[in-house]
Amino acid sequence: MTSELSIENTELTQTILNASPTPFIVHNKQKEIVYVNDAFTAQFGYTLKDISTPDKRGTTIYSNREYACKIKKIWEQHLKEGIQNNIFKPLEVQLRCKNGDCRTIIAHATHLPESANNLLISLHDITRHKQNEEMIQLASTVFQHSGEGMLVTSAEKNIIAINPAFSSITNFSEADVLNKPASILISKRYDSAFLTEVNSILELSGQWQGEVWVCRKKGEEILVWSTINTIYNEDGSVKQRVTLFSDITEKRQAELLALKQANYDPLTSLPNRTFFFTRLEEEIKNSNITNKPLAIFFLDLDGFKVINDAFGHPVGDKLLIEAGKRIADTAPNEDSVARFGGDEFTVLLPNLNDLNRIALIADTIITSLNQPFQIEGNLVYISASIGITIYPDDALTADDLLRNADQAMYFAKDAGRSRYFYFTQQMQRSSIERFSLTNDLREALELNQLEVYYQPIVYLPTKKIQKAEALLRWNHPERGMVSPSIFIPLAEETGLINEIGNWVFHQAVQHAQLFQQHNPDFQVSVNVSPVQFKAQNDWTSAISEVYFSSCNLVIEITESLLVKDDRQIIDQLLDFRTAGIQVAIDDFGTGYASLSYLNKFDIDYLKIDQSFIQNLSTDSSEMALSEAIIVMAHKLGLKVIAEGVETEQQSGLLYSAGCDFVQGHLFSQPLPVNKLLGLLSSEKSSESALYFE
Ligand code: C2E
Ligand code: CA
Ligand code: CA
C-alpha cells in the first residue's frame, strides 16, 4: 500500500501494519486520514484516496449526512477525553463498504508514539457478533412472549428451561419441572412403545411432530400439537432439544362435535344417512376384496305416524329413541345401524359368511319391535316392515342398493306390515309401473276414465237399501279396472287426490238427487282422504248450488284424522256439521281413536272394519269386540255400519248384536249409477227384502 505517512515512519512500521489482519488507519491533526493498511482496503474496499478528507468520508463511508454528523460529534468528544486522559474510549460505528455492504465496527484509537498528533485507529468488524446478539435477543423475546409453550431439554431428556406460555398451558411452574425428566408431562394413556417410537425418530432425524396428550399440574389431560427440534454439539452429539407446543384440545373437541353433527342423528345418537352412505361405500369396497356379500335392511316403523299424532311428538321422539336402541341391540355391530330419517332405519350386515343369518336378524328385529313400549306411562305398540337387498347380487352401487331395499320395504308394508321382504327384480318392475301409473292418473279425469260406483248399504232390520257408499273406479284403457286401493294412495302422494276428490264429491251430489227420487231419505257417503283436509274445497257451496239437502250426504273419514289435534281439521269438520253433512268413521277398530274423540267431534256413524267381520263367529273375540263397539256406539248416539259382510252367518250375528246397517258382497257389489237406480226401483216395486247380485 502506498502511503503519504508524513511521520518519521520507517519501512518497518509500514510493513508491520500491512502485515496485520486488523484494519488500521492513521488520522492526523487536521482530521485527515493519512494512512490505511492493506487489511483496511481488503475489508472495506476503500483506498486512502477515497476517504482521505472529512468531506469525502462524510458521503461515502456513512450511510447519510445526519449519521456522519452524529459520529463526528461523538468522535470529537472521545478525542477530547482521550487527549486529557490519554485513553480513548472505543467507538461503535456503522460503516458502509465500497461495495455498499454495511458493517458494524469498533474503533480503538491510540497516539502514535512517533507523533503525538497522529492517531492510529484499529477497526474491529463486530457485525457477526452484533447479529448474533440481536438473534439471541430476539429468541429470548420470542421465548418469553410466545403464545406457544416451549421447553428445552438436556441431552439426558431433563427439562432445563420453560417459557411463560408453558406454565400458563400446563400450570406447572419452573420449580415444578426444572431438572425433571420431560416424560413426566406425557399422559399415562401411552405405553412405553409410544415414547420409544418418538425417541427413535428423534435419534434418526432430529425432529418429531405430532399430537400428544399431556398432563396438566392437577392431572387433567390436554391434547397438544408439538414440534421437537434438536440442537447438536460440534461433534454431532445432542446438546439440547427444543419442544414447541400448542393446546388443541378445544379445537379437537369442536372438530369432533362438527364431525358428530355431520354424521350422527341428534335424537337417537345413531349414525345418520350421510354416515351410512360412507360406511356402505366402504363396505362395498371391502366386499370386492373379501368376496363376501353384504346385506342392507331398509326398515320403516309401522303405525308410527298414528302414535306421533295420538300421543304427541315427545312420545313419538322417545319411541324413536327406544326403537333405535332395540334395532341397534339386535344388529351385529353398533355402527351398522343408522337412522335414515323420520321413522326409517337402515342396517348394514357386511362380511356375510352365511346368508341364512340375514333372515334370522330380520326376524329378531321385528320380534323385538313387536314388544310393547312403555313410554311416559303409555303402553305403545308398533311393528316394522323391512326391505332387504344384497350386494353384489341385486345392485352394484350404494344408491341402487338403497333404492332396492326401500322398494322391498314398500312391498313388505303392502303385504300387511310387520314382515321382511327380499328385493326382487319383479319389485323393481312394479315400482317402475307405479311410476307410469301415476303419470296416467294425471290424465284419467280429463280422459273420462274415472267413474263413481255405489255400494248399497242395507238397513238390517228391514234389509232395505237406505244408503250407498261412493267408490271410485278407474277404467284404464290398457290395464282395465284399476283398484282404488292401488291408485288412491298414488293420488294421495301426488296431491292429485284433491282434484279427484272434488270431482267425486260433485258426482255424488248429482247422483244423490237421482237416488232421492226413490227414497227422499237416501244417503250417499263419500270417502274423504286426510290429505284433502289440508286443501281448500267448495263442498258446502256445491250443495247449495243444486238446492240439495245436505242431510243426504255422509263424509267417511278415518280415525287417524281425529287423533290429530289440528285446527284446520276441526274447523273443516265443524263446517260440514253446520252445513248438515253427517260424518262416519271408516275402518273403525284399526287405529287409535278413543271414545272421547267420537264424542268430541259429534260423529254420526261408525263403520266396523272388514277385518273384524271376516272372522266373525259366535265365540270369537271379533264377535265380542263388535258387540262392545255396537253397544258403546249406541250409548253415544251413533249408528253402526258393518263393512265387508259376505255371509248369512255374519249378517245374522250382526243382527243379533244390534248392528244397524250392513254393507258387503252378500247384498251387492259396488254398482254403476244406473244399476243402483234399477235396483232401487225393483226394490220399490217388490216392496220386499231382497238380496242383490
Ligand atoms: P273403503 O272405504 O273401506 O271401502 C270399502 C272397500 O271394501 C271397497 O273397496 C269395497 O269394494 C270393498 N268391499 C265391499 N264389500 C266387500 C265385501 O263383502 N268383501 C270384500 N272383501 N270387500 C268388500 P274398493 O272399492 O276397492 O275401495 C278400496 C278403498 O279405496 C276404499 O276402502 C277407500 O278407502 C278407497 N276409496 C275408494 N273410493 C274412494 C274415493 O272416492 N275417495 C277416497 N279418498 N278413497 C276412496
Ligand atoms: Ca269407506
Ligand atoms: Ca272401510
Side-chain angles (χ1 to χ4, degrees), residues 652-669:
L653 287 171
L654 286 164
Y655 180 71
S656 60
C659 182
D660 306 285
F661 296 93
V662 280
Q663 172 185 357
H665 294 165
L666 176 64
F667 307 98
S668 172
Q669 303 275 344

Side-chain angles (χ1 to χ4, degrees), residues 63-343:
S63 55
N64 59 51
R65 208 165 275 285
E66 207 185 334
Y67 182 69
C69 288
K70 186 178 144 198
I71 289 296
K72 198 175 140 205
K73 260 194 206 142
I74 302 171
W75 179 241
E76 274 164 8
Q77 180 68 28
H78 281 212
L79 271 184
K80 219 159 103 191
E81 289 169 12
I83 291 164
Q84 277 168 14
N85 312 332
N86 214 16
I87 305 169
F88 291 92
K89 267 205 279 181
L91 179 68
E92 187 180 311
V93 185
Q94 304 282 341
L95 277 192
R96 193 167 60 188
C97 303
K98 200 166 180 179
N99 68 6
D101 285 354
C102 268
R103 314 296 300 172
T104 306
I105 52 127
I106 290 269
H108 292 271
T110 35
H111 276 122
L112 275 178
E114 294 97 333
S115 154
N117 288 329
N118 286 348
L119 286 173
L120 175 68
I121 301 165
S122 67
L123 305 166
H124 297 274
D125 189 339
I126 57 160
T127 315
R128 272 286 272 297
H129 173 77
K130 213 49 198 178
Q131 280 169 348
N132 285 344
E133 216 171 50
E134 274 166 16
M135 284 305 290
I136 290 165
Q137 183 67 39
L138 187 71
S140 155
T141 313
V142 171
F143 190 75
Q144 289 304 320
H145 297 102
S146 162
E148 275 193 304
M150 296 186 190
L151 77 150
V152 183
T153 48
S154 64
E156 294 74 35
K157 305 188 179 71
N158 290 328
I159 300 171
I160 52 177
I162 58 168
N163 74 342
F166 174 97
S167 297
S168 69
I169 296 173
T170 64
N171 291 344
F172 283 118
S173 65
E174 285 192 342
D176 296 326
V177 293
L178 284 192
N179 301 319
K180 305 239 168 83
S183 57
I184 58 160
L185 301 170
I186 306 293
S187 156
K188 304 282 169 291
R189 71 179 70 196
Y190 299 106
D191 53 15
S192 58
F194 173 73
L195 283 182
T196 315
E197 193 197 320
V198 173
N199 281 328
S200 70
I201 293 172
L202 278 174
E203 290 305 327
L204 268 174
S205 68
Q207 278 196 334
W208 185 85
Q209 260 198 343
E211 286 175 1
V212 194
W213 283 96
V214 160
C215 303
R216 296 173 76 186
K217 187 169 178 176
K218 291 223 166 108
E220 75 266 37
E221 296 191 343
I222 52 168
L223 184 67
V224 302
W225 174 258
S226 83
T227 308
I228 307 177
N229 277 300
T230 308
I231 302 169
Y232 295 99
N233 289 313
E234 272 171 16
D235 64 0
S237 61
V238 172
K239 186 176 180 196
Q240 288 158 354
R241 298 205 203 266
V242 182
T243 305
L244 271 77
F245 65 90
S246 47
D247 184 353
I248 56 165
T249 320
E250 275 179 23
K251 189 171 152 245
R252 176 52 43 86
Q253 275 162 354
E255 280 168 5
L256 286 176
L257 186 70
L259 197 71
K260 197 167 157 56
Q261 281 167 347
N263 285 292
Y264 287 84
D265 166 47
L267 181 69
T268 59
S269 300
L270 290 172
N272 64 9
R273 177 192 289 252
T274 317
F275 188 92
F276 181 80
F277 261 102
T278 320
R279 277 250 14 225
L280 177 55
E281 272 163 357
E282 274 169 19
E283 290 301 347
I284 288 175
K285 283 185 199 143
N286 263 346
S287 163
N288 293 340
I289 297 165
T290 60
N291 271 331
K292 288 187 188 165
L294 68 95
I296 294 152
F297 288 8
F298 198 104
L299 182 153
D300 188 288
L301 300 180
D302 304 323
F304 174 75
K305 235 177 97 50
V306 178
I307 291 166
N308 212 23
D309 291 339
F311 298 106
H313 288 265
V315 171
D317 282 354
K318 291 210 171 93
L319 178 60
L320 286 174
I321 296 171
E322 287 306 314
K325 275 191 197 145
R326 289 195 194 173
I327 302 167
D329 282 349
T330 41
N333 135 11
E334 237 181 49
D335 267 13
S336 54
V337 175
R339 179 173 176 218
F340 212 66
D343 58 348

Side-chain angles (χ1 to χ4, degrees), residues 469 527 556 586 607 643:
E469 177 177 2
N527 291 288
E556 293 195 8
D586 209 354
K607 296 188 80 174
E643 283 189 301

